[in-house]
Amino acid sequence: MDIEFNKNEDVNKQMVFEMKTKWKKIAEGGGAKNAAKQKEIGKMLARERIAYLIDKDCPFLELGAFAADGMYEAEGGCPSAGVIAGIGYVSGRQCMIVANDATVKAGAWFPMTAKKNLRAQEICMENKLPIIYLVDSAGVYLPMQDEIFPDKEHFGRIFRNNAIMSSMGILQISAIMGSCVAGGAYLPIMSDEAMIVEGTGSVFLAGSYLVKSAIGEDIDNETLGGATTHCEISGVTDYKQPNDAACLDSIKNILSKVGDYDKAGFDRVKSVEPIKDQKEIYGILPDNREKQYEMREIIDRLVDNSDFEEYKEKYGQSILCGLARVDGWAVGIVANQRKVVKSKKGEMQFGGVIYSDSADKAARFIMNCNQKKIPLVFLQDVTGFMVGSRSEQGGIIKDGAKMVNAMANSVVPKFTIVIGNSYGAGNYAMCGKAYDPRLIYAWPTAKIAVMGGSAAAKTLFQIQEATMRAKGEEITPERKAEILKEITDRYDRQTTPYYAASRLWVDGIIDPLETRKVISMGIEAANHAPIEKRYNVGVIQT
C-alpha cells in the first residue's frame, strides 16, 4: 500500500464514520424525553416496531433516513421527516414498511413527510411490492398546511395512491398503533386490511376537541374512535389487538399466508463475494473529487468474483460498460471512467467527462441490456459532457441525446449509485433522479450540482461583480476574496450528499460496503413486477 492509498483510506473512512454518527443522532428521533412518554403508555418506538416486525438476520434497506436533515430548524427540526421507511422481509416476503415516529412532533406530517411517503409508495407501485403502514400520527402540521395540503404531490396524493395500488393488486396492510386523525384516517382504511391496538390506537375524522367545537358533543377519543368502537360497532377496522407486539405478530401471520408473486424473471445464480477486498475501495477513491482514479478497480470490488465482462473496451473510454453479477443477479454496468486515458488518435481523454463516442457506446449497451432483460446499474462520477468547438462540430449534443433517449426509455429496472461528482447533463445521462431509477443512493463522497463548486463560484461572482460595478461600488482584492469565499461556501453546502438526501434527491447515503446490498435488494424488489412495456427508444439519430 502506498502513501496516497493510506491517505485516501483515512479520509474516506472518516467520512463514513461521520455519516454513521450523524445517522445515529437522527435515529434518536424526537429524543429520550419524548421516547419515554411513548414507553409510559405501553407503546414501542417506531424503530423498535420495525425491528420486531422484520425477519431476524435479514437485511433492512432504509429509505430517506436523512430526509428533512437541516430543514425546519425554526420548528425544532424533523429527524427523518418524522417517519421511518424501508424495504425489509416479513415472514420471508420482501415488503416496504412505513412507520410514523410519534416522538417527532407527535408524528405530525411536514412537507417532507408527505414527499417521503409518496416516494415509498412510488417504489411499491414500480415494483409491485407489498406495503405495511404502522400508523401513529397527529395529522398535518398545521403551521405549514399550505405546503402540504392542496397541491398534486401533497398529502392527498397518498390516498389517491392507496386506491391506485389497490387496483394494481398491491397488498396494503395498516396497523393503527396510535393517533390517526382527519384526512390521515383514509390511509389505513383504504388499505386491504386494517388492525388497531386497544387503548392506544384511535382513528377518526375529527377528534373530541373539534367535535365539541363543531357540534357541541362531549365525547372522549376512545369512545369516539378507539379499538372497541371500530372493531365492534363501526366495522371500520378488521382486527383488534391488545398491544403493539400482538399487532405486529398478526401482520407476520397474514404475510406468512400470502401467495407467491409473478416474477419479472431477472437472472440470478448463487452469490459469490468479490475476489478483491471491498474495503480497499476506501484507499482507491481519491481524497477529493478533482483527482483521477481507475473506475475498474471500484467495479472489481463490487461485483461477484470480481468478474466484469467489458463491452467495447477500447472505444469510448470515458464510460465503462459491461456485464457482471451482484449478489448473484445479472447486471449491466454503466460507469464513468475517472482515469486519464489515451485514445488511439493520441488525444487525452479526461476522466468524468462524457465524449461523443462514449455516449454512443453507452446508448448501444443500454439497448442491448433491454433486449436481454438485464437490469442496469449506473455508477456516477461525472462532470458533464465534453464542450468546445471540436465536440460541438462532432455532434456531442446528438450523441448525448441518443444516450439520454436510450436510458430514459429503458424498461428494465435502473439503479443509480452516486460515487463522486454528479454534475449538469451528466447527472441526467447517467440516470439521475429525474429518470426514474428504482433506487438512487449516494456515497458520502458524492457531489450533486449543476456544475463544480469552483466553476460555479467564479460564474456567480462574475454576475455579482458586474452588478456591483454597475452601482459604482469599488471591489478591492480583499472584498473580492471575501465574496468569492461566501459564494463558494454556500454553493459547496448545497452540493453535499446530505443536502441532496434531506430533499430526497437521493434515497439515502450509504457506506460503499453497502452498495451490493442496495443493488441486490433493489433487483429483488423489481423482480416482483413483470415487464409489460415493450422497449422502444423512439427516434434516435445515428
Side-chain angles (χ1 to χ4, degrees), residues 95-96 117 120-121 124-125 128-134 157-175 186-195 238-239 251 254-255 258:
C95 305
M96 175 68 72
N117 274 266
Q121 289 183 322
C124 290
M125 287 190 284
K128 295 189 175 178
L129 202 62
I131 185 167
I132 299 166
Y133 305 101
L134 306 181
R157 187 77 171 182
I158 293 167
F159 316 132
R160 174 264 188 193
N161 287 351
N162 288 141
I164 297 298
M165 291 163 73
S166 180
S167 72
M168 295 172 66
I170 296 171
L171 177 63
Q172 301 175 82
I173 299 174
S174 287
Y186 287 108
L187 185 148
I189 310 311
M190 293 185 73
S191 298
D192 297 290
E193 292 184 279
M195 55 194 68
D238 306 310
Y239 306 91
I251 295 173
I254 291 170
L255 263 295
V258 173

Side-chain angles (χ1 to χ4, degrees), residues 159-408:
F159 316 132
R160 174 264 188 193
N161 287 351
N162 288 141
I164 297 298
M165 291 163 73
S166 180
S167 72
M168 295 172 66
I170 296 171
L171 177 63
Q172 301 175 82
I173 299 174
S174 287
I176 302 165
M177 309 182 82
S179 297
C180 185
V181 185
Y186 287 108
L187 185 148
I189 310 311
M190 293 185 73
S191 298
D192 297 290
E193 292 184 279
M195 55 194 68
I196 186 168
V197 177
E198 193 170 11
T200 55
S202 60
V203 55
F204 34 64
L205 293 181
S208 57
Y209 291 119
L210 185 54
V211 168
K212 174 67 174 176
S213 173
I215 64 173
E217 181 183 2
D218 281 310
I219 189 169
D220 63 88
N221 283 339
E222 182 65 23
T223 305
L224 182 65
T228 298
T229 295
H230 286 311
C231 283
E232 299 180 21
I233 301 172
S234 72
V236 166
T237 51
D238 306 310
Y239 306 91
K240 180 170 69 171
Q241 303 297 348
N243 52 51
D244 281 9
C247 187
L248 297 169
D249 285 335
S250 180
I251 295 173
K252 294 180 187 180
N253 187 44
I254 291 170
L255 263 295
S256 71
K257 296 173 175 61
V258 173
D260 203 0
Y261 57 89
D262 295 333
K263 296 176 176 61
F266 303 124
D267 187 67
R268 190 180 197 184
V269 299
K270 185 178 179 181
S271 177
V272 179
E273 288 293 309
I275 292 175
K276 296 184 179 179
D277 188 354
Q278 293 181 68
K279 293 179 181 178
E280 290 177 353
I281 289 173
Y282 298 133
I284 295 167
L285 201 63
D287 59 347
N288 70 62
R289 302 278 51 80
E290 306 302 320
K291 293 182 179 179
Q292 306 295 322
Y293 63 95
E294 173 59 79
M295 179 61 84
R296 289 183 184 87
E297 293 296 331
I298 300 291
I299 293 172
D300 283 348
R301 286 158 179 81
L302 295 177
V303 301
D304 290 14
N305 206 39
S306 300
D307 184 12
F308 179 58
E309 185 177 351
E310 195 164 346
Y311 173 79
K312 292 184 182 288
E313 180 181 355
K314 298 299 181 182
Y315 175 72
Q317 294 183 63
S318 70
I319 287 185
L320 305 179
C321 299
L323 300 176
R325 289 188 183 275
V326 174
D327 196 26
W329 294 103
V331 296
I333 295 175
V334 181
N336 303 111
Q337 173 63 292
R338 287 305 311 268
K339 180 182 178 182
V340 178
V341 296
K342 203 165 187 178
S343 74
K344 194 172 182 180
K345 298 177 182 177
E347 303 159 323
M348 295 302 290
Q349 295 197 353
F350 296 92
V353 178
I354 301 175
Y355 288 76
S356 283
D357 54 358
S358 302
D360 172 70
K361 176 173 82 170
R364 292 173 184 273
F365 180 73
I366 290 166
M367 288 188 279
N368 285 348
C369 286
N370 273 270
Q371 288 289 85
K372 298 172 184 151
K373 202 160 74 170
I374 299 174
L376 287 159
V377 174
F378 292 83
L379 302 179
Q380 283 195 8
D381 194 347
V382 59
T383 52
F385 284 86
M386 190 60 190
V387 296
S389 60
R390 186 168 183 173
S391 292
E392 297 293 357
Q393 291 168 13
I396 186 67
I397 296 176
K398 177 188 69 176
D399 290 318
K402 185 192 305 181
M403 179 179 174
V404 171
N405 198 332
M407 181 273 301

